[in-house]
Amino acid sequence: MPTILQINVTANWGSTGKIAEQIGQCAMKHGWNSYIAYGRWCNSSESHLIKVGNFLDILCHYGVQKIRDNEGLCSCIATKFLVKKIKEINPSIIHLHNIHDHYLNYKILFEYLNSTDIKVVWTFHDCWAITGHCFHFVSRNCERWKSICYKCPLQHEYPKTMLDRSKKNYLLKKYLFTNNKNLTIVACSEWIGNLVSKSFLKDKPIYVIHNGIDLKVFRNSKNLIDNNQKEMYRILAVSNVWNKDKGYDDIINLRKLLPDDCEISIIGVTKKQQDDLPLGIMGIQRTQNVNDLVKLYSNADVLINPTYADTFPTVNLEALACGTPVVTYRTGGSPEAIDRKTGIVVEQGDINGLAEAILQLRKKPLSSTDCRKRVEEFFDKDKCYSSYIRLYENLCGIK
């Protein structure tokens, strides 16, 4: 029986953790054994879980990289333990997701992988693998990654570091990743696939497989409300974290441009952000309760996603599955989720355009049925993640 081992910072927690969980479930349905190695948060899983490192190790890794700008180059003992587990499991496929975020040493991992014949699939959820420092260079219009990173313009932003070793990081990644003869790249959007094709990984096989969601969980459960009696027009914004690059400041300014009977709810704020929000904006701290999310999506009139840095946000898909149209900035792969029947794309930073799009949808609502149909056709997890199984089987020569 073939075996897949996925490696991600989380297991069945957060967007990438849930994606890994669902890929594992799909693999098991097709007769594979499934393991997930993770660094920090997790929920219960149908796959076999392997914890990499511990809280103290993660804390030390985080502290060192804040000074030395060497994310992914600490956690030596934890990674050697993982390599030992890989040898014991002997997987047919190792599927990488986010191997950054203070829990893994990518040098140790790739030195081992490069010495084996194990097939490696790597899904790019952000741009970290092809840069010397940042996760999303697009927020600063930086193109140094196309040749060589140096003097990173994001050094003093996220992730903020005292030193700048972006050049060394870039060259090390280039050496390690290009020297894996069994590496296949999967881009979760056409947008990031296009970027990878211009990077030092351009000679690797590159496929596009969009993220999918569970349509049995995310469903249209809108309350039966008479539009003539409904008091507020409900605008929803959802993110794991809220900062400038996620459009937090734009949402604050957006409130000033909308009528008083428009209510904005921001999901995923910190306690401090929740306390600081102005009138007309309700903040809700992050929840892992998917039923709560479904209710919030379903009862909203529109989801807004004014992001400046995103690859292919699943929040767009979740909203559509619940029958709610999406207004998003033209950022990364975010517009790929919608069409003219299911949402509106606004240029980055155009807060007036964002307000106009919301008011347009209020005046002429889009069909909840069309929103749901789009997700059923293109972003059903069973369809999307079956593409991974076909890729695994092709790589392993399984018919």
Side-chain angles (χ1 to χ4, degrees):
M1 182 180 292
T3 298
I4 173 181
L5 168 61
Q6 297 183 82
I7 303 175
N8 186 53
V9 63
T10 61
N12 201 18
W13 193 100
S15 59
T16 58
K18 291 175 183 176
I19 289 167
E21 174 68 16
Q22 291 167 358
I23 291 173
Q25 292 170 353
C26 188
M28 287 184 283
K29 288 179 181 178
H30 285 79
W32 288 62
N33 287 323
S34 176
Y35 291 80
I36 298 176
Y38 71 100
R40 48 182 80 183
W41 305 291
C42 74
N43 287 316
S44 59
S45 171
E46 294 184 24
S47 296
H48 304 286
L49 295 183
I50 302 170
K51 181 71 168 66
V52 181
N54 54 46
F55 177 75
L56 181 59
D57 180 65
I58 290 170
L59 194 63
C60 291
H61 193 151
Y62 174 75
V64 172
Q65 70 89 28
K66 287 283 286 183
I67 298 171
R68 299 186 61 190
D69 189 19
N70 61 345
E71 169 59 46
L73 293 173
C74 302
S75 301
C76 297
I77 294 175
T79 307
K80 288 177 181 177
F81 164 80
L82 175 60
V83 168
K84 181 180 177 182
K85 296 298 291 185
I86 294 173
K87 292 177 180 178
E88 293 173 1
I89 295 168
N90 189 28
S92 312
I93 295 281
I94 288 183
H95 187 160
L96 306 177
H97 293 277
N98 283 352
I99 63 171
H100 53 73
D101 220 354
H102 335 313
Y103 76 103
L104 192 68
N105 187 302
Y106 69 85
K107 183 174 184 289
I108 292 174
L109 177 64
F110 265 85
E111 284 178 341
Y112 168 70
L113 294 177
N114 293 356
S115 70
T116 74
D117 292 323
I118 301 174
K119 306 300 182 183
V120 180
V121 173
W122 194 350
T123 297
F124 280 19
H125 300 285
D126 58 35
C127 303
W128 177 84
I130 57 174
T131 77
H133 176 84
C134 69
F135 305 136
H136 282 293
F137 44 77
V138 292
S139 62
R140 298 298 174 270
N141 295 316
C142 178
E143 295 193 345
R144 295 173 188 176
W145 57 276
K146 291 182 178 179
S147 53
I148 186 167
C149 290
Y150 63 95
K151 295 182 179 179
C152 180
L154 282 160
Q155 177 195 346
H156 299 298
E157 299 180 39
Y158 185 79
K160 184 177 181 180
T161 57
M162 290 180 63
L163 302 178
D164 177 4
R165 54 165 284 155
S166 55
K167 183 177 180 179
K168 290 182 178 180
N169 292 337
Y170 180 92
L171 292 173
L172 179 61
K173 289 178 182 180
K174 181 178 181 179
Y175 172 76
L176 291 170
F177 303 161
T178 57
N179 277 294
N180 188 286
K181 60 183 180 297
N182 298 305
L183 178 60
T184 297
I185 306 298
V186 174
C188 64
S189 67
E190 297 283 351
W191 171 78
I192 198 168
N194 182 56
L195 293 180
V196 177
S197 69
K198 299 174 183 176
S199 75
F200 57 69
L201 291 172
K202 61 182 180 296
D203 294 328
K204 299 296 182 182
I206 303 170
Y207 298 88
V208 175
I209 300 176
H210 282 115
N211 298 333
I213 59 169
D214 190 338
L215 297 183
K216 294 179 182 177
V217 173
F218 292 95
R219 62 202 181 280
N220 190 342
S221 59
K222 292 186 181 296
N223 293 334
L224 296 177
I225 300 174
D226 186 340
N227 285 330
N228 294 323
Q229 297 178 358
K230 190 169 61 174
E231 296 179 358
M232 303 295 290
Y233 187 77
R234 288 165 295 202
I235 302 162
L236 185 67
V238 181
S239 180
N240 291 334
V241 295
W242 281 105
N243 52 37
K244 184 177 180 180
D245 282 348
K246 288 294 184 180
Y248 182 79
D249 295 348
D250 288 12
I251 293 175
I252 302 300
N253 291 322
L254 172 67
R255 171 64 271 178
K256 305 169 187 176
L257 303 177
L258 296 174
D260 291 340
D261 59 354
C262 288
E263 179 184 72
I264 302 176
S265 296
I266 306 182
I267 315 303
V269 295
T270 64
K271 180 63 169 63
K272 184 179 186 308
Q273 287 173 327
Q274 187 179 39
D275 293 340
D276 291 343
L277 287 171
L279 290 175
I281 302 181
M282 180 177 65
I284 300 174
Q285 295 182 50
R286 183 173 181 171
T287 176
Q288 284 292 307
N289 188 321
V290 70
N291 291 324
D292 288 345
L293 279 175
V294 169
K295 290 178 182 177
L296 289 164
Y297 282 128
S298 295
N299 288 328
D301 293 292
V302 62
L303 176 88
I304 57 171
N305 192 354
T307 178
Y308 287 81
D310 250 313
T311 307
F312 190 68
T314 53
V315 295
N316 294 356
L317 309 183
E318 292 167 355
L320 293 174
C322 296
T324 301
V326 175
V327 175
T328 180
Y329 280 166
R330 194 181 303 280
T331 295
S334 190
E336 294 176 32
I338 62 176
D339 60 11
R340 61 181 180 83
K341 292 183 178 181
T342 57
I344 297 175
V345 179
V346 178
E347 298 304 320
Q348 272 190 12
D350 185 359
I351 303 174
N352 288 319
L354 194 62
E356 289 170 4
I358 292 168
L359 296 176
Q360 177 182 328
L361 292 182
R362 183 179 189 180
K363 185 177 181 180
K364 295 182 179 180
L366 296 176
S367 166
S368 294
T369 301
D370 286 339
C371 292
R372 177 72 183 186
K373 282 183 178 178
R374 179 161 176 81
V375 179
E376 289 175 344
E377 184 175 358
F378 296 107
F379 308 118
D380 181 344
K381 71 177 180 65
D382 293 329
K383 295 179 181 178
C384 294
Y385 299 145
S386 290
S387 297
Y388 278 110
I389 310 308
R390 291 193 293 271
L391 175 60
Y392 299 159
E393 291 173 346
N394 288 337
L395 293 174
C396 295
I398 299 172
K399 296 183 180 179

